[in-house]
């Protein structure tokens, strides 16, 4: 005891002060990288708190949606919030039109930053050549081939549904989201990679789980101070699992890339035209044109953007059928009259106008996040109200316009006919289609980074829904909590993996298979 006292006496007050200051700096550097932007009000911050940033962060993590909703009422213009991924400037919905095509506000760069893309397990999230090629591939090659892939989508839906839900006429209870994820993984893989890979369980498992597992690992990494993350990355089982998935994707996809390249070389050597590129591997390789492109990582990020988003849309749509059973029969009648005895094709899908409206309404009420259109400011941007977005700031807009009573009558009420009626207004035919984007409906974002996969997602969902409507009866089980199906994280909400439906096979009135 005496020796400790002697040691303490030996340390001067100045030395103690230096130790405390160094301790604070180290603690601050490790734990609080978030900085507030000056001149912008901070939502959720406790004005009396010593650590304003920490108090704003805590408030946001506990109830991000509430913090944003309150701030939209409290402030007339932009404000900032401190999220799990740092400070973000929030632009109310009225700024959407103003920023939608601003080339200094970029989506891929913010994803790169937030998803630790410099680590190999998260390389698919990099704003690299590969991601650009993937986005370009979706925007051009995939979208230009939509008409040719409807037969494949119908065929795969037919086979997959037989396997997933079977043909029993007895009522059966299922966890809906898990089954729909499997269906969408098969449909997407059929188009992106061909029939063989759509039936390859190893690939299907990785394409489904990479998104979830990488999100879990990334969320866990965010909990740690930046300085410790390289260690966490090396030793955490979560990151190890994702690293292994990236390696397995490479083992599955590279041989396919090589095979495409070989047959192209052979054809050229024989003086023949190269085989026509018909899937996303060949399309990506073609767009890369010899430049570096990690095709397996491109396929993983394609799965990230395509699978869970479309699964959520179709799952919520089926829950909406159960919540509003009166709409089931009109939707079925539309499919029967529009499709008739023809195979499903681009024109029939376009003419399913009630289904189009139903999907848009379902997406409006289950948009998934109160914020959208994430962007990174590459340079300083000055908004029309004089507010400044500094270079390097992260920006989001809000989706409150999607339930604005001045735009939508009774906005909280589900109305499957809403957009069908709105399309009947003079000059409004195109504005309210499912795939149209505008500042009043941000389900697919808006502007230069609006989802380029929405045309494919719409076709895929409509084909699946034709089969699901005509081949199955749907309802909630008696004890289902009808309104309790959404789970929330911060500002995000999505259907629960636990939510169940009851279904049984029925005899379809028309043959939908090719
Ligand atoms: C219902 C399904 C889908 C929903 C709700 C959805 C939603 C979105 C949203 C909200 C964005 C951001 C838009 C913005 O910030 O302005 C986005 C971007 C993107 N989506 Fe989708 N998406 C879906 C399906 C798909 C599919 C099937 C693909 C690919 C085939 C895809 C590919 C992409 C890509 C590549 C981007 C990034 C665009 C860019 O960086 O410019 N999405 N999506």
């Amino acid at each position: 005891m005496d020796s400790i006292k002697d040691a303490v006496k030996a340390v001067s007050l100045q030395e103690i002060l230096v130790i405390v200051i160094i301790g604070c700096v180290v603690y601050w550097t490790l734990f609080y990288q978030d900085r507030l932007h000056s001149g912008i009000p901070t939502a959720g911050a406790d004005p009396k708190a010593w650590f304003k940033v920490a108090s704003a962060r805590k408030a946001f993590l506990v109830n991000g949606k509430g913090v944003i909703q309150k701030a939209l009422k409290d402030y007339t213009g932009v404000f900032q919030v401190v999220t799990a991924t740092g400070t973000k400037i929030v632009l109310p919905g009225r700024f959407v039109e103003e920023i939608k095509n601003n080339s200094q506000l970029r989506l891929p760069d913010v994803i790169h930053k937030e998803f630790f893309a410099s680590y190999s397990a998260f390389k698919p999230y990099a704003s690299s050549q590969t991601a650009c090629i993937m986005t370009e591939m979706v925007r051009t090659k995939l979208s230009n081939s939509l008409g040719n892939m409807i037969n494949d989508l119908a065929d795969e839906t037919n086979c997959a549904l037989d396997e997933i839900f079977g043909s029993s006429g007895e009522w059966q209870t299922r966890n809906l989201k898990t089954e729909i994820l499997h269906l969408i993984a098969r449909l997407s893989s059929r188009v992106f990679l061909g029939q063989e890979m759509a039936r390859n369980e190893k690939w299907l498992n990785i394409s489904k789980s990479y998104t979830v597992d990488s999100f879990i690992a990334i969320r866990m990494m965010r909990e740690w101070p930046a300085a410790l993350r390289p260690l966490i990355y090396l030793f955490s089982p979560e990151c190890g699992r994702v690293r292994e998935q990236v390696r397995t994707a490479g083992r599955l996809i590279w041989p396919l890339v090589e095979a495409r390249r070989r047959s192209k070389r052979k054809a050229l050597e024989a003086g023949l035209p190269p085989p026509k590129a018909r899937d996303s591997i060949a399309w990506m390789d073609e767009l890369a044109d010899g430049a570096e492109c990690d095709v397996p990582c491109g396929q993983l990020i394609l799965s990230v953007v395509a699978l869970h988003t479309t699964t959520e849309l179709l799952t919520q749509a089926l829950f909406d059928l159960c919540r509003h059973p009166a709409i089931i029969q009109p939707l079925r009648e539309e499919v029967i009259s529009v499709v008739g005895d023809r195979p499903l094709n681009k024109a029939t899908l376009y003419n399913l106008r009630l289904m189009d409206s139903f999907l848009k309404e379902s997406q409006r009420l289950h948009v998934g996040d109160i914020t959208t259109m994430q962007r990174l400011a590459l340079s300083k941007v000055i908004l029309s109200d004089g507010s400044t977005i500094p270079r390097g700031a992260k920006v989001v807009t809000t989706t409150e316009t999607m339930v604005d009573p001045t735009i939508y009558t009774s906005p909280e009420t589900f109305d499957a006919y809403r957009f069908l009626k709105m399309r009947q207004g003079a000059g409004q035919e195109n504005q309210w289609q499912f795939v149209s984007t505008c500042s009043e409906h941000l389900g697919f974002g808006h502007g230069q980074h609006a989802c380029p996969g929405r045309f494919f997602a719409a076709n895929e969902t409509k084909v699946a829904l034709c089969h699901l409507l005509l081949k199955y009866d749907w309802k909630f089980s008696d004890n289902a909590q009808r309104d309790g199906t959404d789970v929330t994280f911060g500002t995000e909400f999505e259907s629960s993996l636990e939510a169940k439906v009851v279904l049984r096979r029925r005899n379809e009135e028309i043959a939908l298979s090719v």
Side-chain angles (χ1 to χ4, degrees):
M1 202 57 187
D2 285 348
S3 60
I4 295 175
K5 278 183 191 163
D6 291 344
V8 171
K9 274 182 200 156
V11 180
S12 71
L13 188 62
Q14 277 151 326
E15 284 166 330
I16 291 174
L17 260 178
V18 170
I19 291 168
V20 169
I21 290 168
I22 291 175
C24 284
V25 169
V26 170
Y27 183 78
W28 187 265
T29 320
L30 286 179
F31 291 95
Y32 291 104
Q33 295 96 25
D34 303 326
R35 301 276 182 277
L36 294 177
H37 301 291
S38 62
I40 300 179
T42 308
D46 178 352
K48 289 189 222 121
W50 273 42
F51 296 105
K52 207 172 163 190
V53 178
S55 80
R57 188 173 195 269
K58 190 171 164 207
F60 190 84
L61 294 186
V62 172
N63 179 16
K65 190 175 169 186
V67 166
I68 291 200
Q69 280 171 334
K70 182 170 181 309
L72 284 170
K73 288 188 191 126
D74 291 351
Y75 308 117
T76 50
V78 306
F79 54 92
Q80 58 190 326
V81 289
V82 186
T83 73
T85 52
T87 307
K88 290 186 182 167
I89 299 178
V90 183
L91 312 187
R94 69 187 157 89
F95 288 98
V96 163
E97 284 300 330
E98 183 177 333
I99 61 131
K100 68 178 186 186
N101 290 330
N102 189 319
S103 61
Q104 294 308 299
L105 297 173
R106 299 242 319 143
L107 172 64
D109 305 78
V110 76
I111 302 288
H112 185 108
K113 216 169 171 173
E114 296 211 331
F115 286 75
F116 306 121
S118 49
Y119 292 94
S120 64
F122 310 123
K123 191 177 164 201
Y125 294 99
S127 60
S128 62
Q129 174 90 342
T130 303
C132 296
I133 289 172
M134 184 280 291
T135 303
E136 186 59 16
M137 185 278 293
V138 174
R139 197 163 275 143
T140 56
K141 307 273 184 187
L142 183 76
S143 297
N144 292 338
S145 311
L146 290 179
N148 304 333
M149 58 186 64
I150 295 171
N151 276 353
D152 283 350
L153 286 173
D155 179 52
E156 199 61 32
T157 308
N158 194 38
C159 301
L161 284 184
D162 274 353
E163 287 169 31
I164 297 171
F165 293 132
S167 54
S168 166
E170 300 295 315
W171 287 106
Q172 46 173 313
T173 304
R174 293 298 184 95
N175 279 10
L176 185 62
K177 194 166 176 176
T178 315
E179 310 293 11
I180 295 299
L181 176 59
H182 190 66
L183 173 66
I184 294 297
R186 280 196 53 174
L187 297 187
S188 310
S189 300
R190 171 77 180 254
V191 169
F192 299 160
L193 296 168
Q195 190 175 38
E196 208 180 311
M197 289 301 269
R199 318 274 163 96
N200 179 323
E201 285 301 322
K202 234 183 195 171
W203 168 251
L204 289 177
N205 281 341
I206 290 185
S207 72
K208 288 189 287 186
S209 55
Y210 179 76
T211 311
V212 176
D213 290 339
S214 61
F215 272 47
I216 290 174
I218 286 163
R219 234 175 236 161
M220 187 268 308
M221 292 264 286
R222 284 178 192 149
E223 302 286 309
W224 291 89
L228 297 181
R229 280 182 198 142
L231 285 178
I232 303 300
Y233 175 75
L234 278 182
F235 296 109
S236 74
E238 290 89 345
C239 294
R241 191 175 313 126
V242 184
R243 273 198 299 276
E244 185 49 35
Q245 287 168 350
V246 174
R247 280 195 289 265
T248 313
R251 284 195 289 270
L252 290 168
I253 303 290
W254 277 125
L256 303 180
V257 181
E258 291 307 331
R260 304 283 193 289
R261 287 180 185 165
R262 257 195 318 273
S263 62
K264 192 172 170 184
R265 255 195 323 268
K266 262 189 182 167
L268 290 174
E269 278 163 17
L272 298 167
K276 198 167 163 31
R278 288 185 198 282
D279 64 22
S280 63
I281 291 190
W283 287 330
M284 284 177 76
D285 216 28
E286 205 170 272
L287 283 170
D289 197 19
E292 195 224 335
C293 178
D294 187 332
V295 182
C297 278
Q299 290 299 325
L300 284 175
I301 193 63
L302 188 57
S303 300
V304 170
V305 292
L307 260 55
H308 289 263
T309 46
T310 313
T311 297
E312 184 62 13
L313 173 76
L314 184 54
T315 304
Q316 291 286 12
L318 290 166
F319 282 139
D320 277 331
L321 290 183
C322 300
R323 287 183 195 108
H324 313 283
I327 193 61
I328 295 180
Q329 196 49 30
L331 283 169
R332 275 188 189 140
E333 280 165 16
E334 182 183 66
V335 177
I336 295 164
S337 76
V338 169
V339 179
D341 52 10
R342 294 175 297 277
L344 284 168
N345 58 41
K346 217 172 159 182
T348 48
L349 293 185
Y350 178 80
N351 287 325
L352 294 171
R353 296 161 73 92
L354 175 59
M355 185 185 283
D356 196 88
S357 171
F358 164 74
L359 287 172
K360 197 170 181 80
E361 177 71 344
S362 182
Q363 192 186 41
R364 185 181 72 82
L365 287 172
H366 309 288
V367 67
D369 198 328
I370 194 176
T371 65
T372 186
M373 294 177 69
Q374 288 216 65
R375 306 288 185 256
L376 186 79
L378 301 188
S379 63
K380 184 166 96 174
V381 172
I382 298 180
L383 298 173
S384 55
D385 70 345
S387 349
T388 302
I389 301 172
R391 178 169 173 264
K394 291 178 193 169
V395 177
V396 290
T397 64
T398 51
T399 55
E400 81 281 4
T401 49
M402 292 174 77
V403 285
D404 182 340
T406 64
I407 300 162
Y408 300 107
T409 342
S410 310
E412 306 298 341
T413 307
F414 182 88
D415 177 3
Y417 292 86
R418 184 187 296 279
F419 293 103
L420 190 61
K421 289 181 267 179
M422 288 170 84
R423 280 176 74 177
Q424 283 156 4
Q428 301 292 297
E429 164 63 16
N430 295 331
Q431 162 106 358
W432 303 108
Q433 282 185 44
F434 180 50
V435 290
S436 310
T437 68
C438 60
S439 52
E440 294 88 5
H441 195 307
L442 296 163
F444 290 112
H446 194 34
Q448 61 181 342
H449 292 300
C451 175
R454 63 191 189 278
F455 307 97
F456 170 70
N459 280 2
E460 186 184 27
T461 309
K462 285 179 184 175
V463 169
L465 199 50
C466 285
H467 285 252
L468 291 161
L469 272 165
L470 263 57
K471 292 181 174 173
Y472 298 91
D473 282 319
W474 298 93
K475 61 178 186 175
F476 279 128
S477 64
D478 291 342
N479 55 2
Q481 290 175 307
R482 290 176 188 221
D483 299 320
T485 49
D486 284 356
V487 284
T488 53
F489 315 91
T491 55
E492 298 166 34
F493 33 101
E494 61 174 79
S495 57
S496 158
L497 273 173
E498 308 304 319
K500 294 187 176 28
V501 288
V502 187
L503 67 131
R504 70 173 174 198
R505 185 72 165 89
R506 66 190 289 279
N507 291 326
E508 61 271 33
E509 291 81 350
I510 54 169
L512 288 164
S513 317
V514 275

Coordinates of all heavy atoms in Angstrom, one line a residue, residues 107-108 134-135 138-139 142 192 302 305-306 309-310 313 363 372-375 434 442-454 456-457 460-461, ligand 1:
L107 N -23.9 7.4 -55.2 CA -24.3 6.2 -54.4 C -23.2 5.2 -54.2 O -22.9 4.8 -53.1 CB -25.5 5.6 -55.1 CG -26.0 4.2 -54.5 CD1 -26.4 4.4 -53.1 CD2 -27.1 3.6 -55.3
P108 N -22.5 4.8 -55.3 CA -21.5 3.7 -55.1 C -20.4 4.0 -54.1 O -20.0 3.2 -53.3 CB -20.9 3.5 -56.5 CG -21.8 4.1 -57.5 CD -22.5 5.2 -56.7
M134 N -21.1 -4.2 -63.4 CA -22.3 -4.9 -63.0 C -23.5 -4.0 -63.2 O -24.5 -4.3 -63.8 CB -22.2 -5.4 -61.5 CG -23.4 -6.1 -61.0 SD -24.8 -5.1 -60.5 CE -24.2 -4.3 -59.1
T135 N -23.4 -2.7 -62.7 CA -24.5 -1.8 -62.9 C -24.7 -1.5 -64.3 O -25.9 -1.5 -64.8 CB -24.1 -0.5 -62.1 OG1 -23.8 -0.8 -60.8 CG2 -25.2 0.5 -62.1
V138 N -26.6 -4.4 -65.8 CA -28.0 -4.4 -65.5 C -28.8 -3.4 -66.3 O -29.8 -3.6 -66.9 CB -28.2 -4.1 -64.0 CG1 -29.7 -4.0 -63.7 CG2 -27.6 -5.2 -63.1
R139 N -28.1 -2.2 -66.4 CA -28.8 -1.0 -67.1 C -29.0 -1.3 -68.6 O -30.0 -1.0 -69.2 CB -27.9 0.2 -66.9 CG -28.5 1.5 -67.2 CD -27.7 2.6 -66.6 NE -28.1 2.9 -65.2 CZ -27.2 3.3 -64.3 NH1 -25.9 3.4 -64.6 NH2 -27.6 3.5 -63.1
L142 N -29.1 -6.6 -69.4 CA -30.2 -7.2 -68.8 C -31.5 -6.6 -69.2 O -32.4 -7.3 -69.6 CB -30.0 -7.2 -67.3 CG -31.1 -7.9 -66.5 CD1 -30.9 -9.4 -66.5 CD2 -31.1 -7.5 -65.0
F192 N -29.5 -14.9 -64.5 CA -28.2 -14.4 -64.5 C -27.1 -15.4 -64.9 O -26.1 -15.1 -65.5 CB -27.8 -13.9 -63.0 CG -28.7 -12.8 -62.5 CD1 -28.8 -12.6 -61.1 CD2 -29.4 -12.0 -63.3 CE1 -29.6 -11.6 -60.6 CE2 -30.2 -11.0 -62.8 CZ -30.3 -10.8 -61.5
L302 N -24.4 -8.6 -57.4 CA -25.7 -8.7 -58.1 C -26.7 -9.4 -57.3 O -27.9 -9.0 -57.2 CB -25.4 -9.5 -59.4 CG -26.6 -9.6 -60.4 CD1 -27.0 -8.2 -60.9 CD2 -26.1 -10.4 -61.7
V305 N -27.9 -6.9 -54.5 CA -28.9 -5.9 -55.0 C -30.2 -6.5 -55.4 O -31.3 -5.9 -55.3 CB -28.4 -4.9 -56.0 CG1 -27.2 -4.1 -55.5 CG2 -27.9 -5.7 -57.3
A306 N -30.2 -7.8 -55.9 CA -31.4 -8.3 -56.6 C -32.2 -9.2 -55.7 O -33.4 -9.2 -55.8 CB -30.9 -9.1 -57.8
T309 N -34.1 -7.6 -52.0 CA -35.1 -6.6 -52.4 C -36.3 -7.1 -53.0 O -37.4 -6.8 -52.6 CB -34.4 -5.6 -53.4 OG1 -33.7 -6.4 -54.4 CG2 -33.4 -4.7 -52.7
T310 N -36.1 -8.0 -54.0 CA -37.3 -8.6 -54.7 C -38.0 -9.5 -53.8 O -39.3 -9.6 -53.9 CB -36.8 -9.3 -56.0 OG1 -35.8 -8.5 -56.7 CG2 -37.9 -9.6 -56.9
L313 N -40.3 -7.5 -51.7 CA -41.4 -7.0 -52.4 C -42.5 -8.1 -52.6 O -43.7 -7.8 -52.3 CB -41.0 -6.5 -53.8 CG -42.1 -6.1 -54.8 CD1 -42.7 -4.8 -54.4 CD2 -41.6 -6.1 -56.2
Q363 N -45.7 -1.7 -52.3 CA -44.3 -1.1 -52.1 C -44.4 0.3 -51.4 O -43.6 0.6 -50.6 CB -43.6 -0.9 -53.5 CG -42.1 -0.7 -53.3 CD -41.5 -0.4 -54.6 OE1 -42.0 0.3 -55.5 NE2 -40.3 -0.9 -54.8
T372 N -33.8 7.2 -47.9 CA -33.4 6.6 -49.1 C -32.4 7.4 -49.9 O -32.0 8.5 -49.3 CB -34.6 6.2 -50.0 OG1 -34.2 5.5 -51.1 CG2 -35.3 7.5 -50.5
M373 N -32.0 7.1 -51.1 CA -31.1 7.9 -51.9 C -29.9 8.3 -51.1 O -29.6 9.5 -51.0 CB -31.9 9.1 -52.5 CG -32.9 8.7 -53.5 SD -33.9 10.1 -54.1 CE -32.7 10.9 -55.2
Q374 N -29.2 7.3 -50.6 CA -27.9 7.6 -49.9 C -26.9 8.1 -50.9 O -26.7 7.5 -52.0 CB -27.3 6.3 -49.4 CG -28.1 5.7 -48.2 CD -27.0 5.1 -47.3 OE1 -26.2 5.8 -46.7 NE2 -27.1 3.8 -47.1
R375 N -26.1 9.1 -50.5 CA -25.1 9.7 -51.5 C -23.9 10.1 -50.7 O -24.0 10.5 -49.5 CB -25.7 10.9 -52.2 CG -27.0 10.7 -53.0 CD -26.8 9.8 -54.2 NE -28.0 9.7 -55.0 CZ -28.8 8.6 -55.0 NH1 -28.5 7.6 -54.3 NH2 -29.9 8.6 -55.8
F434 N -45.6 0.9 -62.1 CA -44.8 0.3 -61.0 C -43.3 0.7 -61.2 O -42.7 1.0 -60.3 CB -45.0 -1.2 -61.0 CG -44.2 -1.9 -59.9 CD1 -44.2 -1.4 -58.6 CD2 -43.4 -3.0 -60.2 CE1 -43.5 -2.0 -57.6 CE2 -42.6 -3.6 -59.2 CZ -42.7 -3.1 -57.9
L442 N -40.7 6.7 -53.9 CA -39.3 6.5 -54.0 C -38.9 5.0 -53.8 O -37.8 4.7 -53.3 CB -38.6 7.4 -53.0 CG -38.8 8.9 -53.2 CD1 -38.4 9.7 -52.0 CD2 -37.9 9.3 -54.4
G443 N -39.8 4.1 -54.1 CA -39.6 2.7 -53.8 C -38.3 2.2 -54.6 O -37.6 1.2 -54.1
F444 N -38.0 2.8 -55.7 CA -36.8 2.4 -56.4 C -35.8 3.5 -56.5 O -34.9 3.6 -57.3 CB -37.1 2.0 -57.9 CG -37.9 0.7 -58.0 CD1 -39.2 0.6 -58.4 CD2 -37.2 -0.5 -57.7 CE1 -39.9 -0.6 -58.5 CE2 -37.9 -1.8 -57.8 CZ -39.2 -1.8 -58.2
G445 N -35.9 4.5 -55.5 CA -35.0 5.6 -55.6 C -35.4 6.5 -56.7 O -36.6 6.4 -57.3
H446 N -34.6 7.5 -57.1 CA -34.9 8.4 -58.2 C -33.7 9.0 -58.7 O -32.7 9.2 -58.0 CB -35.8 9.5 -57.6 CG -36.6 10.3 -58.6 ND1 -37.0 9.8 -59.8 CD2 -36.9 11.6 -58.5 CE1 -37.6 10.8 -60.4 NE2 -37.6 11.9 -59.7
G447 N -33.7 9.4 -60.0 CA -32.6 10.1 -60.6 C -31.5 9.2 -61.2 O -31.8 8.1 -61.5
Q448 N -30.3 9.8 -61.2 CA -29.2 9.1 -61.8 C -28.9 7.7 -61.3 O -28.4 6.8 -62.0 CB -28.0 9.9 -61.8 CG -27.5 10.2 -60.4 CD -26.3 11.1 -60.3 OE1 -25.5 11.2 -61.2 NE2 -26.1 11.7 -59.1
H449 N -29.2 7.5 -60.0 CA -28.9 6.2 -59.4 C -30.2 5.4 -59.1 O -30.1 4.4 -58.4 CB -28.1 6.4 -58.1 CG -26.7 6.9 -58.3 ND1 -25.8 6.2 -59.0 CD2 -26.1 8.0 -57.9 CE1 -24.7 6.9 -59.1 NE2 -24.9 8.0 -58.4
A450 N -31.3 5.8 -59.7 CA -32.5 5.0 -59.5 C -32.3 3.6 -59.9 O -31.5 3.3 -60.8 CB -33.6 5.6 -60.4
C451 N -32.9 2.6 -59.3 CA -32.6 1.2 -59.5 C -32.7 0.8 -60.9 O -33.8 0.8 -61.5 CB -33.6 0.4 -58.6 SG -33.4 -1.4 -59.0
P452 N -31.6 0.4 -61.5 CA -31.7 0.0 -62.9 C -32.2 -1.4 -63.1 O -32.6 -1.8 -64.2 CB -30.2 0.0 -63.4 CG -29.4 -0.3 -62.1 CD -30.2 0.3 -61.0
G453 N -32.4 -2.2 -62.0 CA -32.9 -3.5 -62.0 C -34.4 -3.6 -61.9 O -35.0 -4.7 -61.8
R454 N -35.1 -2.4 -61.8 CA -36.5 -2.5 -61.5 C -37.3 -3.1 -62.6 O -38.4 -3.7 -62.3 CB -37.0 -1.1 -61.1 CG -36.9 0.0 -62.2 CD -37.1 1.4 -61.6 NE -37.3 2.4 -62.6 CZ -36.2 3.1 -63.2 NH1 -35.0 2.7 -62.9 NH2 -36.4 4.0 -64.1
F456 N -36.4 -5.6 -64.6 CA -36.3 -7.0 -64.4 C -37.1 -7.5 -63.2 O -37.9 -8.4 -63.2 CB -34.8 -7.4 -64.3 CG -34.6 -8.8 -63.8 CD1 -34.9 -9.9 -64.7 CD2 -34.2 -9.1 -62.6 CE1 -34.8 -11.2 -64.4 CE2 -34.0 -10.5 -62.2 CZ -34.3 -11.5 -63.1
A457 N -36.9 -6.7 -62.1 CA -37.6 -7.1 -60.8 C -39.1 -7.1 -61.0 O -39.8 -8.0 -60.5 CB -37.3 -6.1 -59.7
E460 N -40.0 -10.3 -63.1 CA -39.8 -11.5 -62.3 C -41.0 -11.6 -61.3 O -41.6 -12.7 -61.1 CB -38.5 -11.3 -61.6 CG -38.0 -12.5 -60.8 CD -36.7 -12.2 -60.1 OE1 -36.4 -11.0 -59.7 OE2 -35.9 -13.1 -59.8
T461 N -41.3 -10.5 -60.6 CA -42.3 -10.5 -59.6 C -43.7 -10.8 -60.2 O -44.5 -11.6 -59.7 CB -42.4 -9.2 -58.8 OG1 -41.1 -8.9 -58.4 CG2 -43.3 -9.3 -57.6
Ligands
LIG1 C1 -38.1 -5.0 -55.8 C2 -36.8 -5.1 -56.0 C3 -35.9 -3.9 -55.9 C4 -35.9 -2.8 -55.1 C5 -37.1 -2.3 -54.2 C6 -34.7 -2.0 -55.4 C7 -34.4 -0.8 -54.9 C8 -33.3 -0.1 -55.1 C9 -33.0 1.2 -54.6 C10 -33.9 2.0 -53.6 C11 -31.8 1.6 -55.1 C12 -31.1 3.0 -54.8 C13 -31.7 4.0 -55.7 C14 -31.3 5.4 -55.3 O1 -30.5 5.6 -54.4 O2 -31.7 6.4 -56.0 C15 -31.3 0.6 -56.0 C16 -30.2 0.6 -56.6 C17 -29.7 -0.4 -57.4 N1 -30.4 -1.5 -57.8 FE1 -32.2 -2.1 -57.1 N2 -33.9 -2.7 -56.3 C18 -34.6 -3.9 -56.6 C19 -34.2 -4.9 -57.5 C20 -33.0 -4.9 -58.2 C21 -32.6 -5.9 -59.1 C22 -33.4 -7.1 -59.4 C23 -31.4 -5.5 -59.6 C24 -30.5 -6.2 -60.5 C25 -30.9 -7.0 -61.4 C26 -31.0 -4.2 -58.9 C27 -29.9 -3.5 -59.2 C28 -29.6 -2.3 -58.6 C29 -28.3 -1.6 -58.8 C30 -27.2 -2.1 -59.7 C31 -28.4 -0.4 -58.1 C32 -27.3 0.7 -58.0 C33 -27.6 1.8 -59.1 C34 -26.5 2.8 -59.1 O3 -25.5 2.7 -58.4 O4 -26.6 3.8 -59.9 N3 -32.0 -3.9 -58.1 N4 -32.3 -0.4 -56.0

